[in-house]
Amino acid sequence: MSRLKWVVLSLAVLLVLLLLLAPGVLAHVDPVATSDAHLEGPSGSHLFGTDLLGRDVYSRTVYGARPVLVASFLGVLLASAAGVAIGVLGGVAPRWINAVVMRLVDVFLALPVLLIALILIATAGSGVRSIVLAIGIAFTPGFARVVESSVRRLRKAEYVEAARVFGSTTLRTSWRHLLPNLLTEVVVLGSSAIGWGILTATTLSFLGLGVRLPAPDWGSDLAAGATNLADAWWLSTFPGLAIMATILLANFSGDHLMRVLDPRAGIRFGRSFRRLAIRLSRHGGDIAHESA
Amino acid sequence: MLLFVVRRLGAAIPVVIGITLIAFVLVHVVPGDPAKVILYGANASPEQIATLRQQLGLDDPLWRQYADFAVNLVHGNLGTSFLTQTPVSHELLSRAPSTLILTATSMLVAVLVGVPLGLVAGMRPGSVLDTVARWISFAGVAVPYFFLALLLVLLFSVKLHLLSAIDDGTAKSLVLPAVSLGWGYAAILTRLVRGRVIDELRSDYVKSARARGSGELRVLLRQVLRNSSVPAVTTIGLQFGNILTGAAITEVIFGRAGLGSFLATSITSKNIPVVQGAVVVIGIAYVVINLGVDLIVGAIDPRTRQEAAA
């Protein structure tokens, strides 16, 4: 890891924190305030130009980060928590419970992520909260699959066997021995799922299922700009570039985290991880481990 | 091989049942009475609603409703659209070809771009070509297809006037949607094939083929490409469902009349039978394709059969 990479990574993390917690530091103009400057191209006064209603696109791009980041972070967090709970349950429970739980997980794995998300939004209504829930539920089976197979592997480990021999209950063994050992794996998996989370969140808001207008959001702003594509390229381009940069950053830090935390991850996760990587990635994802 | 096929089929059945259960439950978790939704525009009296509830079987016990639903499903009956009062199966069938063609074309783009690019990159790791291929795939993974679609439209139809952005039924109007959707998957395949080719070129059988005096091209085609294509087939097959849903969204962008735009409007208008039907159709299509991929790979590569049995 070179020093340059560290600098870039820290700056990027700082930027994400600012976008999330204090977007006002980066943009001074109100993102929903309209003006008479309709569809003006990028200039000194409007860095990214203005939209049909004369709103500042730079400001909207800065403020539009929050719903995307919140939805993808919380969604993935929810999915990891639920996935660990289901995976551990499936891993330590008697055979028949395991069979029932994991078959259920398979059913959800058999449906495309976006379809699950759409079904959920069809029932729960649109909004950022629904997107969090949709990502949470749609990503859970992937986490559960990987965790379950790791739990089964860990249960055969000597220290777990030893704990059992000394009379440790299943609950205690799960809490003291299994969970701590799963942590690295889940963190790595979660960080590489963030990129897909961002993609899913922006796809859903692109379809108009996210924030309520006129609130700024990368996905819905990108979609709104599409109608003026011919005469105002900047409307869709800047939110699009922002999405792209965020996904790149997420994948890059995910890769990095994996190398730091667990150099053998690619080998240990083996088949199930690769399958997950393939399934979770709606659009791509990180198959770097494949070539590693 | 027979055992393998039986085992795979056995694993698919509960999944299909599960999909129908999810679709069935959908009607009952959506807030609001379906009967009221149907009669919404008609200013319905309570009696009308009660009659319709009875017709729809909404007052029957849940298990009975599911049984009816399942029996209808087996007969290809997916219910009636709330809005148009036409059978859902007809509506889905008339729109499915457009979506399936886009899905297939995108997969083709992914394979035609991804496999050769990965092969070339993997043959000479570290070369200029490899670096270019890696950048392309790196960018391909990160660009959302709906953004790529807009950029392509901006470049090829707004600026250059080369290709149409609007569906006019010709193959030419399929190019932009298929490329924007297929590109990301091409990126995945490039990375996958590249890694495989590097491994294969170091393998013992490639060495021995070379030692026997096989030409480089022959080695590449017979050993390397063949062995690298197995994971490529698996990957693209497993991605079918995702490409299908991606196709649905690409349709919305390009204004193509397919399953996707239909599903999207049905979700916003709470046309539940249509959503239900689409879930069942897409879900089952996904299971069938996955099964097909598993069986094909099992036939090509005997090792996977053993792995599945273990």
Side-chain angles (χ1 to χ4, degrees):
Chain A
M1 190 73 184
S2 67
R3 190 169 295 172
L4 181 72
K5 265 190 188 170
W6 270 117
V7 173
V8 171
L9 207 60
S10 333
L11 279 178
V13 169
L14 186 73
L15 183 66
V16 167
L17 284 177
L18 273 180
L19 287 173
L20 204 56
L21 304 170
V25 176
L26 296 165
H28 304 294
V29 184
D30 182 1
V32 292
T34 53
S35 76
D36 293 331
H38 308 296
L39 291 180
E40 276 183 13
S43 66
S45 52
H46 296 289
L47 216 51
F48 291 178
T50 60
D51 67 6
L52 202 60
L53 299 173
R55 295 175 299 197
D56 184 52
V57 175
Y58 170 72
S59 187
R60 289 188 72 79
T61 309
V62 168
Y63 280 89
R66 194 187 278 168
V68 174
L69 294 175
V70 165
S72 48
F73 278 113
L74 287 186
V76 169
L77 205 65
L78 188 69
S80 354
V84 168
I86 295 172
V88 170
L89 176 75
V92 299
R95 243 186 118 97
W96 68 271
I97 294 184
N98 173 53
V100 171
V101 170
M102 293 327 281
R103 261 301 96 91
L104 210 65
V105 165
D106 282 345
V107 171
F108 277 92
L109 266 182
L111 288 170
V113 165
L114 207 61
L115 189 66
I116 303 179
L118 285 175
I119 294 173
L120 206 106
I121 289 176
T123 59
S126 54
V128 177
R129 205 181 288 176
S130 296
I131 295 188
V132 170
L133 208 62
I135 293 178
I137 291 179
F139 282 20
T140 297
F143 280 91
R145 253 279 156 241
V146 174
V147 170
E148 190 251 4
S149 71
S150 301
V151 168
R152 269 149 51 113
R153 178 177 46 77
L154 281 173
R155 283 185 78 191
K156 293 194 197 103
E158 280 172 15
Y159 53 87
V160 177
E161 293 273 359
R164 202 178 14 242
V165 170
F166 282 105
S168 169
T169 58
T170 310
L171 195 65
R172 192 185 149 84
T173 315
S174 305
W175 184 252
R176 288 282 313 245
H177 299 284
L178 296 179
L179 276 181
N181 279 297
L182 286 170
L183 204 63
T184 325
E185 206 164 289
V186 172
V187 167
V188 168
L189 207 56
S191 67
S192 49
I194 291 277
W196 305 320
I198 294 167
L199 202 54
T200 312
T202 47
T203 308
L204 292 170
S205 64
F206 179 84
L207 291 175
L209 303 170
V211 296
R212 211 176 282 270
L213 295 172
D217 177 288
W218 290 346
S220 56
D221 281 10
L222 201 158
T227 45
N228 290 86
L229 196 65
D231 34 59
W233 58 268
W234 54 91
L235 293 183
S236 294
T237 307
F238 289 111
L241 287 177
I243 297 172
M244 207 177 117
T246 318
I247 294 174
L248 276 178
L249 177 70
N251 287 351
F252 177 65
S253 14
D255 269 8
H256 175 58
L257 202 64
M258 177 158 75
R259 248 169 286 155
V260 171
L261 285 179
D262 195 351
R264 294 166 303 143
I267 305 162
R268 278 211 298 117
F269 287 165
R271 208 178 142 83
S272 55
F273 184 83
R274 243 176 289 144
R275 284 218 143 171
L276 171 81
I278 288 166
R279 283 195 154 134
L280 261 189
S281 62
R282 277 193 40 266
H283 191 71
D286 188 49
I287 314 284
H289 347 284
E290 199 85 84
S291 50
Chain B
M1 187 65 199
L2 185 68
L3 188 71
F4 173 72
V5 173
V6 170
R7 206 188 286 271
R8 275 278 175 275
L9 275 175
I13 290 166
V15 176
V16 170
I17 294 174
I19 290 168
T20 61
L21 267 174
I22 291 178
F24 172 71
V25 167
L26 197 60
V27 176
H28 296 274
V29 288
V30 172
D33 185 344
K36 273 189 196 150
V37 176
I38 298 175
L39 294 172
Y40 190 72
N43 237 339
S45 64
E47 293 80 45
Q48 279 176 306
I49 291 176
T51 327
L52 189 66
R53 280 189 66 88
Q54 207 179 358
Q55 277 173 10
L56 292 173
L58 287 169
D59 296 322
D60 291 340
L62 272 184
W63 64 266
R64 178 83 184 274
Q65 290 187 38
Y66 177 69
D68 287 346
F69 174 71
V71 168
N72 280 333
L73 202 63
V74 173
H75 290 111
N77 180 1
L78 292 166
T80 332
S81 163
F82 281 177
L83 282 179
T84 58
Q85 302 299 331
T86 46
V88 172
S89 49
H90 287 190
E91 299 219 9
L92 288 177
L93 270 181
S94 66
R95 286 172 173 86
S98 164
T99 309
L100 286 177
I101 289 171
L102 179 57
T103 308
T105 322
S106 307
M107 285 168 119
L108 199 68
V109 169
V111 172
L112 289 183
V113 174
V115 173
L117 208 58
L119 192 66
V120 172
M123 275 162 61
R124 300 266 183 283
S127 66
V128 180
L129 265 175
D130 179 38
T131 317
V132 172
R134 269 166 62 193
W135 274 104
I136 291 177
S137 69
F138 199 54
V141 171
V143 187
Y145 53 88
F146 47 84
F147 181 42
L148 186 63
L150 290 184
L151 291 180
L152 291 178
V153 169
L154 188 62
L155 182 65
F156 288 101
S157 74
V158 176
K159 298 277 179 222
L160 298 175
H161 300 288
L162 277 177
L163 293 160
S164 164
I166 295 151
D167 180 30
D168 54 6
T170 59
K172 219 176 155 189
S173 65
L174 199 62
V175 174
L176 288 183
V179 169
S180 37
L181 182 57
W183 198 257
Y185 298 96
I188 303 181
L189 286 188
T190 305
R191 289 171 86 161
L192 187 79
V193 171
R194 177 185 177 272
R196 269 308 174 105
V197 168
I198 292 175
D199 285 350
E200 293 294 332
L201 281 174
R202 282 195 220 115
S203 69
D204 287 340
Y205 42 84
V206 166
K207 279 183 199 154
S208 71
R210 278 184 182 149
R212 282 200 307 272
S214 292
E216 196 60 21
L217 191 67
R218 198 185 147 87
V219 171
L220 268 182
L221 293 179
R222 293 234 5 198
Q223 261 83 24
V224 177
L225 188 62
R226 211 168 167 183
N227 282 309
S228 315
S229 59
V230 172
V233 169
T234 322
T235 308
I236 203 74
L238 284 176
Q239 293 286 11
F240 172 80
N242 291 327
I243 303 180
L244 192 68
T245 42
I249 287 162
T250 315
E251 271 166 21
V252 179
I253 303 170
F254 287 94
R256 298 172 65 85
L259 284 179
S261 29
F262 189 43
L263 183 62
T265 49
S266 302
I267 286 176
T268 36
S269 62
K270 299 235 164 182
N271 196 347
I272 296 305
V274 173
V275 180
Q276 209 175 32
V279 169
V280 171
V281 169
I282 295 178
I284 291 178
Y286 194 27
V287 172
V288 170
I289 296 279
N290 274 352
L291 193 67
V293 170
D294 271 359
L295 296 182
I296 291 171
V297 170
I300 301 176
D301 188 348
R303 284 172 300 183
T304 54
R305 293 206 291 267
Q306 282 162 5
E307 217 170 297

